[in-house]
Amino acid sequence: LHVGGDSDAGDNNLLVDGTLIVSGVGPHAVGGVTNGDVQFGLRGSFTGSTDTNGVYITPALNGVAGGSLRCIGVFTTLVEAASGVHALEAGIDIQLTITNNAGATATNAAGINVGTFVAAAGTTTASAGRFEAPTAATNNWAINVLSGNVVLPATGKLYLDGVSAGTIGNTYI
């Protein structure tokens, strides 16, 4: 099916020249069947020709004076059920499975990998990760490491800025 323009979408393809709007609220799926618990699903097996990516986002975003720039914004409202206990409430939940295939190995494996970047001139503070603590819980942690080791590179510094009892205040280690 081809909507607009004069090029051929080919068999079993949809080509849209212009804005695509899908007004239904879901469930929707690409590459497989829908799931009644998922508003939009990306499913099926896929193998790339060089690198394999499930979703590859490469826009050039142009800022507006006084506004923010973000490639992905997650501004979801999670509404709890009227009763019961929710095992997890998360804006993003990453549960990665890596399956070894024959003799392949990996140099690095990560649930989240944030590469380096060059901040624009005039930037006051640049961070590979930036976290603010939640509020209203019994325990509010900006970062909560549940298991495993925490490694900091030998070339960096750890700055602790706690000033309450039992903490180290304004000290480089």
Side-chain angles (χ1 to χ4, degrees):
L1 174 65
H2 182 227
V3 180
D6 58 4
S7 58
D8 181 10
D11 292 338
N12 300 318
N13 291 305
L14 171 65
L15 175 64
V16 177
D17 296 333
T19 303
L20 174 64
I21 299 172
V22 178
S23 61
V25 296
H28 303 290
V30 173
V33 299
T34 59
N35 178 331
D37 292 329
V38 178
Q39 188 173 24
F40 179 81
L42 183 61
R43 307 178 62 106
S45 177
F46 174 77
T47 302
S49 59
T50 303
D51 292 331
T52 301
N53 298 279
V55 176
Y56 192 65
I57 303 170
T58 61
L61 304 173
N62 301 298
V64 177
S68 298
L69 284 160
R70 60 182 63 85
C71 183
I72 298 174
V74 179
F75 304 99
T76 300
T77 299
L78 302 175
V79 180
E80 294 180 334
S83 64
V85 176
H86 299 286
L88 174 67
E89 295 176 343
I92 298 174
D93 181 18
I94 298 172
Q95 298 183 24
L96 180 66
T97 299
I98 300 173
T99 303
N100 185 278
N101 192 2
T105 62
T107 303
N108 293 289
I112 297 174
N113 183 56
V114 179
T116 188
F117 64 95
V118 177
T123 301
T124 303
T125 303
S127 305
R130 186 170 175 248
F131 305 90
E132 293 187 37
T135 61
T138 303
N139 299 298
N140 297 292
W141 306 107
I143 298 175
N144 184 3
V145 179
L146 298 178
S147 66
N149 298 326
V150 177
V151 178
L152 300 173
T155 58
K157 292 181 181 177
L158 174 61
Y159 182 69
L160 304 174
D161 193 19
V163 292
S164 61
T167 63
I168 301 173
N170 300 318
T171 303
Y172 282 105
I173 295 177

